Amino acid sequence: MRPSRRGAGLLALAATAALVLSACGGGGGGSGSVGDVAGGAPPQAGNDINPVAYDQVRDGGDFLWPINSLPPQYNRNQLDGTEADTADVMSSMVPLIMKGDPQSVYQPDPNYLESAELTSTDPQVVTYKLNPNAKWNSGRPIDWTDFEAQWKALNGSNPAFLVAGTTGYDVISSVTQGATPQEVVVTYSSKFADWKGNFLPLYPRETNSDPKVFNEGWINQPINDQTAGPFKFESVDATAKRLTVVRNEKWWGEPAKLDRIVYVALDQAAQADAYANGSLSFLEIGPSVATFQRAQQVPDTVIRTANGPNYRHITFNGAPGSILEDPKMRLAIMKGIDRNVLTQSQIGPIVPTAKPLGNHLYVEGQEGYEDHSGVVAYDPEKAKSELDALGWTLQGNVRAKGGKQLVIRDVIPTGTPVSEAESRIVQQQLAAIGVQVNIDAVPSDNFFEQFVNVGNFDITHFAWLGTPSPISSSSGIYRLVPDAVGQNYGRIGDQKINDLLVQANAELDPAKQRVIVNEIDQELWNIGHSLLTYQRPDAVALKPNVVNFGAKGFADYDYTKIGFAK
């Protein structure tokens, strides 16, 4: 249950393992072993997935994949479909025409694309040549009309489509057929640098032409005829909390090696024991020392690690009428939270060199990363004086103003130890400056839908999943649009940020774009948009015979190659 960045929007992670929060591997502990790292070593660059050639992967087998909860929405482009669990499930079944590589660069997937080229810069035109063998499970070829329908659904022109985001689609002026139905010509009304992140994932025109299908057709389960991947949907058991996909006989590429993938919905707190008893094929460790230590004790286990694009943060609710509406108050409160303590408490024993993240748009390992977090450097005395200046004075142990106490509600999902630990630390630290934090643990199954997405919180903790197109995929989080939330759940922003986002998305020169992006980040810190905590290196525990899977870092999985060594 974690939203993710992908094309129109980001995916967030509410818990840890299912959220993709991870830590580095370490040595020792029972019969387990740890990849190529020793305890406390930093994660490796690129990724660590035990790569094996396709012909060296055993044919067959079941792969038991843990998720936090069954997705509430299987259309990843719909507002409620941005959870990372949804991405894990649907990436086996729907076209990702571009896939991230270990260096955080998008590359065309030849199963779907023969080529994708910027064929003009004035106006900007992108020409896609589709693999002529690519077909939806209905038998209809994937063609230019699928691109056209997705553009029209996601460009914001029809409010009946409840979309996760419009970035990239709102600057397309036309989608037309080229020389054949499998040649797609996309013309932009203004320059859009992250064009490779558009149409990810691609859904068919049958979904994108009808708001009812778009919003409701994918709620209970995937629509098999409207998917096109190496796997297809077989069944979902809401009672057992399992969803099964099986090898797709209509797939035109190399057949998937696995017979099936079974997605098993479990609270993150229960996943370590489930992995230990063989009920799961792997365990995402997350920033949990206890999970890390538990994984080390499991016989015949390796822990694979890599730098990842994902990060934890605290979202603040600054919507009109909220107690944290004033940016000066948000900044004062942020100064009362020691991010170093949060970071070290969660991943320090695993990654001793870990430090807080300092950029909302780039993570360390991506070109352009600069730390601008000094504006909220931990300083409890300054926090106290700033709150005093705002009229929030101590009355007993809690500050008050105009008869109202400074009490903020920290909403977290149940069964997520990382969020629980973070909220307790924040509660203790803010009590020291006279701010009372009430922790409200809510059901994890509807954490996003009933709380985060609708602004039913004062502060909340989860993680964002990164992509190779961080500007366009993050825009929906930081753009403030009247009467629309999108993924800016705290309703915090200003026109300066909106204008800079437009500039950054339109700048085709990467070096110039990085300058603009860092200006955006400085402004986000200045207005107290959200408090970043730490970047999560990937850490995954699994058996040594699991191949082409593990700590994927910035890359996307090739679902056809996941499996077991011969």
Side-chain angles (χ1 to χ4, degrees):
M1 62 167 293
R2 10 157 209 173
S4 86
R5 290 184 180 177
R6 174 65 70 187
L10 234 61
L11 268 79
L13 324 178
T16 61
L19 299 191
V20 183
L21 281 192
S22 306
C24 296
S31 304
S33 62
V34 182
D36 297 320
V37 299
Q44 66 180 49
N47 60 13
D48 185 8
I49 61 169
N50 194 18
V52 169
Y54 180 83
D55 61 3
Q56 295 302 308
V57 183
R58 191 178 82 209
D59 189 35
D62 292 352
F63 197 71
L64 306 176
W65 188 312
I67 56 177
N68 271 12
S69 60
L70 293 174
Q73 167 67 257
Y74 293 91
N75 178 359
R76 289 184 55 196
N77 295 321
Q78 205 270 352
L79 180 61
D80 292 331
T82 60
E83 298 182 8
D85 289 335
T86 311
D88 287 342
V89 173
M90 295 309 299
S91 292
S92 69
M93 291 183 279
V94 295
L96 293 181
I97 62 173
M98 295 276 188
K99 287 189 174 181
D101 68 16
Q103 287 70 48
S104 190
V105 177
Y106 277 132
Q107 306 293 346
D109 183 339
N111 289 304
Y112 301 106
L113 288 179
E114 291 186 343
S115 64
E117 298 178 353
L118 186 64
T119 49
S120 171
T121 58
D122 192 16
Q124 181 175 336
V125 178
V126 176
T127 301
Y128 299 91
K129 293 185 178 179
L130 295 167
N131 183 332
N133 297 318
K135 292 180 173 62
W136 301 104
N137 286 347
S138 65
R140 181 176 66 78
I142 300 175
D143 64 20
W144 74 275
T145 62
D146 297 305
F147 286 70
E148 180 191 42
Q150 183 148 317
W151 159 54
K152 289 181 177 179
L154 300 185
N155 64 14
S157 61
N158 185 348
F161 289 92
L162 304 179
V163 303
T166 62
T167 301
Y169 297 97
D170 56 356
V171 290
I172 292 174
S173 59
S174 67
V175 176
T176 59
Q177 177 180 318
T180 71
Q182 274 64 52
E183 185 171 283
V184 188
V185 180
V186 180
T187 303
Y188 288 79
S189 57
S190 60
K191 290 182 172 60
F192 181 64
D194 283 347
W195 61 268
K196 290 183 178 180
N198 272 352
F199 304 102
L200 295 179
L202 181 68
Y203 279 74
R205 69 184 187 223
E206 288 81 1
T207 286
N208 289 316
S209 300
D210 184 342
K212 186 173 180 62
V213 177
F214 183 92
N215 295 324
E216 302 174 17
W218 296 78
I219 287 178
N220 296 318
Q221 63 186 47
I223 303 175
N224 241 343
D225 280 354
Q226 297 184 32
T227 61
F231 288 88
K232 67 176 184 179
F233 171 73
E234 182 182 63
S235 64
V236 61
D237 186 331
T239 302
K241 296 186 177 181
R242 291 188 168 218
L243 184 145
T244 302
V245 300
V246 296
R247 189 184 293 158
N248 185 5
E249 75 283 357
K250 296 181 180 180
W251 174 247
W252 57 92
E254 290 184 319
K257 285 293 186 176
L258 292 168
D259 289 322
R260 61 185 59 82
I261 300 174
V262 181
Y263 295 93
V264 183
L266 282 175
D267 282 346
Q268 190 273 335
Q271 291 178 14
D273 284 344
Y275 170 72
N277 67 30
S279 299
L280 298 174
S281 295
F282 71 95
L283 173 67
E284 285 196 44
I285 291 172
S288 168
V289 176
T291 302
F292 172 70
Q293 293 171 338
R294 181 73 175 95
Q296 288 181 304
Q297 300 299 321
V298 180
D300 196 30
T301 288
V302 295
I303 297 176
R304 304 200 179 281
T305 66
N307 283 321
N310 314 314
Y311 58 91
R312 293 283 294 181
H313 77 293
I314 302 173
T315 281
F316 280 61
N317 190 345
S322 68
I323 194 169
L324 299 174
E325 179 180 1
D326 186 348
K328 292 181 180 179
M329 176 188 266
R330 294 195 298 270
L331 289 170
I333 289 175
M334 288 181 184
K335 293 183 180 74
I337 299 174
D338 190 338
R339 298 188 304 137
N340 283 298
V341 169
L342 281 170
T343 299
Q344 286 299 314
S345 70
Q346 299 306 300
I347 62 174
I350 307 168
V351 191
T353 58
K355 58 184 179 181
L357 185 66
N359 197 295
H360 291 80
L361 295 128
Y362 295 129
V363 294
E364 289 199 70
Q366 288 182 317
E367 191 171 4
Y369 176 84
E370 295 177 5
D371 188 338
H372 302 124
S373 63
V375 67
V376 296
Y378 179 57
D379 190 339
E381 294 307 313
K382 191 171 183 180
K384 292 176 186 177
S385 66
E386 290 181 357
L387 289 172
D388 286 339
L390 292 170
W392 291 96
T393 58
L394 268 180
Q395 297 184 20
N397 294 324
V398 181
R399 295 178 179 274
K401 179 181 179 180
K404 181 178 182 179
Q405 286 191 316
L406 184 43
V407 178
I408 60 179
R409 177 168 160 260
D410 189 351
V411 176
I412 63 171
T414 56
T416 57
V418 169
S419 293
E420 293 168 6
E422 289 175 350
S423 62
R424 287 194 299 269
I425 292 169
V426 168
Q427 183 183 55
Q428 182 179 34
Q429 291 181 342
L430 292 186
I433 64 169
V435 178
Q436 180 176 321
V437 175
N438 291 340
I439 300 170
D440 186 3
V442 303
S444 59
D445 285 350
N446 55 30
F447 170 67
F448 284 107
E449 293 70 40
Q450 295 187 18
F451 295 91
V452 178
N453 294 3
V454 296
N456 187 5
F457 63 90
D458 292 326
I459 62 173
T460 187
H461 311 241
F462 56 91
W464 286 116
L465 296 179
T467 72
S469 54
I471 313 312
S472 58
S473 62
S474 297
S475 292
I477 301 172
Y478 305 122
R479 180 184 292 114
L480 186 62
V481 180
D483 303 320
V485 176
Q487 291 185 297
N488 189 345
Y489 302 128
R491 306 298 295 136
I492 297 171
D494 58 30
Q495 192 58 45
K496 180 179 179 180
I497 290 173
N498 287 1
D499 292 344
L500 287 170
L501 286 167
V502 171
Q503 292 179 39
N505 278 304
E507 181 52 68
L508 298 181
D509 184 319
K512 293 179 180 178
Q513 186 191 59
R514 288 192 288 270
V515 172
I516 302 170
V517 170
N518 278 301
E519 188 176 352
I520 296 170
D521 183 60
Q522 289 174 324
E523 182 67 10
L524 290 169
W525 284 112
N526 290 339
I527 66 171
H529 179 277
S530 50
L531 188 66
L532 307 179
T533 49
Y534 49 87
Q535 181 177 348
R536 318 182 298 104
D538 281 341
V540 179
L542 33 63
K543 301 300 180 183
N545 69 331
V546 175
V547 298
N548 300 315
F549 190 89
K552 64 188 179 70
F554 291 92
D556 287 308
Y557 286 124
D558 182 342
Y559 281 69
T560 67
K561 294 181 179 179
I562 297 172
F564 305 95
K566 286 184 176 179

PDB file of all heavy atoms in Angstrom, residues 502-517:
ATOM      1  N   VAL A 502       6.485  24.219 -14.421  1.00  0.00           N
ATOM      2  CA  VAL A 502       6.246  24.343 -15.865  1.00  0.00           C
ATOM      3  C   VAL A 502       7.572  24.558 -16.593  1.00  0.00           C
ATOM      4  O   VAL A 502       7.845  23.919 -17.618  1.00  0.00           O
ATOM      5  CB  VAL A 502       5.278  25.512 -16.155  1.00  0.00           C
ATOM      6  CG1 VAL A 502       5.202  25.772 -17.659  1.00  0.00           C
ATOM      7  CG2 VAL A 502       3.890  25.198 -15.602  1.00  0.00           C
ATOM      8  N   GLN A 503       8.417  25.450 -16.060  1.00  0.00           N
ATOM      9  CA  GLN A 503       9.712  25.706 -16.693  1.00  0.00           C
ATOM     10  C   GLN A 503      10.584  24.456 -16.718  1.00  0.00           C
ATOM     11  O   GLN A 503      11.208  24.146 -17.741  1.00  0.00           O
ATOM     12  CB  GLN A 503      10.446  26.820 -15.944  1.00  0.00           C
ATOM     13  CG  GLN A 503       9.828  28.190 -16.057  1.00  0.00           C
ATOM     14  CD  GLN A 503      10.600  29.230 -15.259  1.00  0.00           C
ATOM     15  OE1 GLN A 503      11.837  29.201 -15.218  1.00  0.00           O
ATOM     16  NE2 GLN A 503       9.894  30.133 -14.604  1.00  0.00           N
ATOM     17  N   ALA A 504      10.633  23.750 -15.600  1.00  0.00           N
ATOM     18  CA  ALA A 504      11.490  22.561 -15.520  1.00  0.00           C
ATOM     19  C   ALA A 504      11.025  21.481 -16.479  1.00  0.00           C
ATOM     20  O   ALA A 504      11.829  20.826 -17.142  1.00  0.00           O
ATOM     21  CB  ALA A 504      11.506  22.024 -14.095  1.00  0.00           C
ATOM     22  N   ASN A 505       9.708  21.292 -16.551  1.00  0.00           N
ATOM     23  CA  ASN A 505       9.183  20.263 -17.448  1.00  0.00           C
ATOM     24  C   ASN A 505       9.392  20.617 -18.916  1.00  0.00           C
ATOM     25  O   ASN A 505       9.399  19.737 -19.777  1.00  0.00           O
ATOM     26  CB  ASN A 505       7.697  20.037 -17.168  1.00  0.00           C
ATOM     27  CG  ASN A 505       7.451  19.115 -15.985  1.00  0.00           C
ATOM     28  OD1 ASN A 505       7.937  17.991 -15.967  1.00  0.00           O
ATOM     29  ND2 ASN A 505       6.721  19.578 -15.000  1.00  0.00           N
ATOM     30  N   ALA A 506       9.566  21.913 -19.203  1.00  0.00           N
ATOM     31  CA  ALA A 506       9.729  22.354 -20.595  1.00  0.00           C
ATOM     32  C   ALA A 506      11.179  22.510 -21.012  1.00  0.00           C
ATOM     33  O   ALA A 506      11.451  22.769 -22.191  1.00  0.00           O
ATOM     34  CB  ALA A 506       9.005  23.685 -20.797  1.00  0.00           C
ATOM     35  N   GLU A 507      12.109  22.358 -20.073  1.00  0.00           N
ATOM     36  CA  GLU A 507      13.522  22.580 -20.388  1.00  0.00           C
ATOM     37  C   GLU A 507      14.176  21.300 -20.894  1.00  0.00           C
ATOM     38  O   GLU A 507      14.348  20.338 -20.145  1.00  0.00           O
ATOM     39  CB  GLU A 507      14.262  23.099 -19.144  1.00  0.00           C
ATOM     40  CG  GLU A 507      15.733  23.390 -19.374  1.00  0.00           C
ATOM     41  CD  GLU A 507      15.982  24.285 -20.567  1.00  0.00           C
ATOM     42  OE1 GLU A 507      15.613  25.477 -20.498  1.00  0.00           O
ATOM     43  OE2 GLU A 507      16.541  23.772 -21.561  1.00  0.00           O
ATOM     44  N   LEU A 508      14.549  21.288 -22.178  1.00  0.00           N
ATOM     45  CA  LEU A 508      15.122  20.087 -22.785  1.00  0.00           C
ATOM     46  C   LEU A 508      16.610  19.940 -22.507  1.00  0.00           C
ATOM     47  O   LEU A 508      17.172  18.859 -22.688  1.00  0.00           O
ATOM     48  CB  LEU A 508      14.885  20.111 -24.302  1.00  0.00           C
ATOM     49  CG  LEU A 508      13.415  20.107 -24.759  1.00  0.00           C
ATOM     50  CD1 LEU A 508      13.333  20.119 -26.281  1.00  0.00           C
ATOM     51  CD2 LEU A 508      12.663  18.918 -24.192  1.00  0.00           C
ATOM     52  N   ASP A 509      17.268  21.009 -22.050  1.00  0.00           N
ATOM     53  CA  ASP A 509      18.691  20.949 -21.708  1.00  0.00           C
ATOM     54  C   ASP A 509      18.816  20.426 -20.278  1.00  0.00           C
ATOM     55  O   ASP A 509      18.407  21.100 -19.326  1.00  0.00           O
ATOM     56  CB  ASP A 509      19.317  22.334 -21.816  1.00  0.00           C
ATOM     57  CG  ASP A 509      20.825  22.323 -21.557  1.00  0.00           C
ATOM     58  OD1 ASP A 509      21.270  21.615 -20.625  1.00  0.00           O
ATOM     59  OD2 ASP A 509      21.557  23.030 -22.275  1.00  0.00           O
ATOM     60  N   PRO A 510      19.367  19.228 -20.074  1.00  0.00           N
ATOM     61  CA  PRO A 510      19.411  18.636 -18.729  1.00  0.00           C
ATOM     62  C   PRO A 510      20.115  19.511 -17.704  1.00  0.00           C
ATOM     63  O   PRO A 510      19.679  19.596 -16.551  1.00  0.00           O
ATOM     64  CB  PRO A 510      20.153  17.311 -18.943  1.00  0.00           C
ATOM     65  CG  PRO A 510      19.939  16.980 -20.370  1.00  0.00           C
ATOM     66  CD  PRO A 510      19.921  18.301 -21.089  1.00  0.00           C
ATOM     67  N   ALA A 511      21.209  20.153 -18.083  1.00  0.00           N
ATOM     68  CA  ALA A 511      21.942  20.983 -17.128  1.00  0.00           C
ATOM     69  C   ALA A 511      21.100  22.174 -16.679  1.00  0.00           C
ATOM     70  O   ALA A 511      21.048  22.502 -15.490  1.00  0.00           O
ATOM     71  CB  ALA A 511      23.249  21.462 -17.761  1.00  0.00           C
ATOM     72  N   LYS A 512      20.434  22.819 -17.624  1.00  0.00           N
ATOM     73  CA  LYS A 512      19.577  23.954 -17.270  1.00  0.00           C
ATOM     74  C   LYS A 512      18.368  23.489 -16.455  1.00  0.00           C
ATOM     75  O   LYS A 512      17.906  24.187 -15.547  1.00  0.00           O
ATOM     76  CB  LYS A 512      19.119  24.674 -18.543  1.00  0.00           C
ATOM     77  CG  LYS A 512      20.244  25.378 -19.296  1.00  0.00           C
ATOM     78  CD  LYS A 512      19.719  26.047 -20.565  1.00  0.00           C
ATOM     79  CE  LYS A 512      20.846  26.753 -21.316  1.00  0.00           C
ATOM     80  NZ  LYS A 512      20.361  27.380 -22.582  1.00  0.00           N
ATOM     81  N   GLN A 513      17.870  22.315 -16.789  1.00  0.00           N
ATOM     82  CA  GLN A 513      16.733  21.792 -16.047  1.00  0.00           C
ATOM     83  C   GLN A 513      17.113  21.552 -14.585  1.00  0.00           C
ATOM     84  O   GLN A 513      16.344  21.858 -13.668  1.00  0.00           O
ATOM     85  CB  GLN A 513      16.230  20.495 -16.665  1.00  0.00           C
ATOM     86  CG  GLN A 513      14.945  19.973 -16.022  1.00  0.00           C
ATOM     87  CD  GLN A 513      14.597  18.563 -16.464  1.00  0.00           C
ATOM     88  OE1 GLN A 513      15.377  17.637 -16.268  1.00  0.00           O
ATOM     89  NE2 GLN A 513      13.422  18.397 -17.055  1.00  0.00           N
ATOM     90  N   ARG A 514      18.318  21.040 -14.345  1.00  0.00           N
ATOM     91  CA  ARG A 514      18.736  20.767 -12.974  1.00  0.00           C
ATOM     92  C   ARG A 514      18.787  22.043 -12.136  1.00  0.00           C
ATOM     93  O   ARG A 514      18.480  22.023 -10.940  1.00  0.00           O
ATOM     94  CB  ARG A 514      20.084  20.048 -12.973  1.00  0.00           C
ATOM     95  CG  ARG A 514      20.008  18.604 -13.458  1.00  0.00           C
ATOM     96  CD  ARG A 514      21.284  17.847 -13.183  1.00  0.00           C
ATOM     97  NE  ARG A 514      22.381  18.268 -14.042  1.00  0.00           N
ATOM     98  CZ  ARG A 514      22.654  17.737 -15.228  1.00  0.00           C
ATOM     99  NH1 ARG A 514      21.879  16.771 -15.712  1.00  0.00           N
ATOM    100  NH2 ARG A 514      23.691  18.158 -15.929  1.00  0.00           N
ATOM    101  N   VAL A 515      19.178  23.146 -12.742  1.00  0.00           N
ATOM    102  CA  VAL A 515      19.202  24.420 -12.023  1.00  0.00           C
ATOM    103  C   VAL A 515      17.792  24.810 -11.581  1.00  0.00           C
ATOM    104  O   VAL A 515      17.559  25.222 -10.435  1.00  0.00           O
ATOM    105  CB  VAL A 515      19.821  25.528 -12.902  1.00  0.00           C
ATOM    106  CG1 VAL A 515      19.670  26.894 -12.224  1.00  0.00           C
ATOM    107  CG2 VAL A 515      21.293  25.235 -13.170  1.00  0.00           C
ATOM    108  N   ILE A 516      16.840  24.678 -12.484  1.00  0.00           N
ATOM    109  CA  ILE A 516      15.451  25.026 -12.166  1.00  0.00           C
ATOM    110  C   ILE A 516      14.895  24.098 -11.086  1.00  0.00           C
ATOM    111  O   ILE A 516      14.215  24.534 -10.153  1.00  0.00           O
ATOM    112  CB  ILE A 516      14.569  24.958 -13.428  1.00  0.00           C
ATOM    113  CG1 ILE A 516      15.094  25.898 -14.503  1.00  0.00           C
ATOM    114  CG2 ILE A 516      13.116  25.303 -13.084  1.00  0.00           C
ATOM    115  CD1 ILE A 516      14.427  25.716 -15.860  1.00  0.00           C
ATOM    116  N   VAL A 517      15.210  22.828 -11.215  1.00  0.00           N
ATOM    117  CA  VAL A 517      14.702  21.849 -10.251  1.00  0.00           C
ATOM    118  C   VAL A 517      15.204  22.167  -8.847  1.00  0.00           C
ATOM    119  O   VAL A 517      14.452  22.084  -7.864  1.00  0.00           O
ATOM    120  CB  VAL A 517      15.100  20.425 -10.672  1.00  0.00           C
ATOM    121  CG1 VAL A 517      14.793  19.431  -9.562  1.00  0.00           C
ATOM    122  CG2 VAL A 517      14.360  20.023 -11.940  1.00  0.00           C
TER     123      VAL A 517
END
